[in-house]
Amino acid sequence: MSICNRNRFMTGVRFLFRVTLRRLDLAAEIYHLREPQKIAQVMSPDETRPPAGCPSSLKARVALSLSYGGGRDS
């Protein structure tokens, strides 16, 4: 069972104990697991070297560098 599914299941169990059965002592013992943080993938120096078809003009290289550097982390 994935962490997300387990947390969803535990939310339902906690609701059952707190609202339906009114057992606050048991509901307090239910906890959620944290999902591990994903580490951003970093490119190696070989991957960042310009390919053979790289634009030779300064304007095009600056535009490509800015678009790559301004990307979002996922």
Side-chain angles (χ1 to χ4, degrees):
M1 181 181 288
S2 71
I3 293 174
C4 182
N5 285 337
R6 184 219 179 259
N7 287 341
R8 204 174 297 150
F9 177 77
M10 287 306 186
T11 300
V13 171
R14 183 185 298 175
F15 179 83
L16 172 72
F17 285 141
R18 286 181 71 201
V19 176
T20 307
L21 301 176
R22 297 177 196 249
R23 293 288 310 263
L24 300 178
D25 56 331
L26 293 176
E29 294 183 23
I30 297 173
Y31 60 93
H32 288 292
L33 296 177
R34 290 190 183 265
E35 292 192 39
Q37 293 287 337
K38 294 181 181 178
I39 299 174
Q41 187 176 15
V42 179
M43 294 177 71
S44 69
D46 293 333
E47 293 174 326
T48 58
R49 287 200 179 100
C54 181
S56 58
S57 71
L58 179 63
K59 185 188 239 181
R61 283 191 310 206
V62 169
L64 287 174
S65 295
L66 286 174
S67 64
Y68 174 75
R72 290 180 39 184
D73 292 336
S74 48

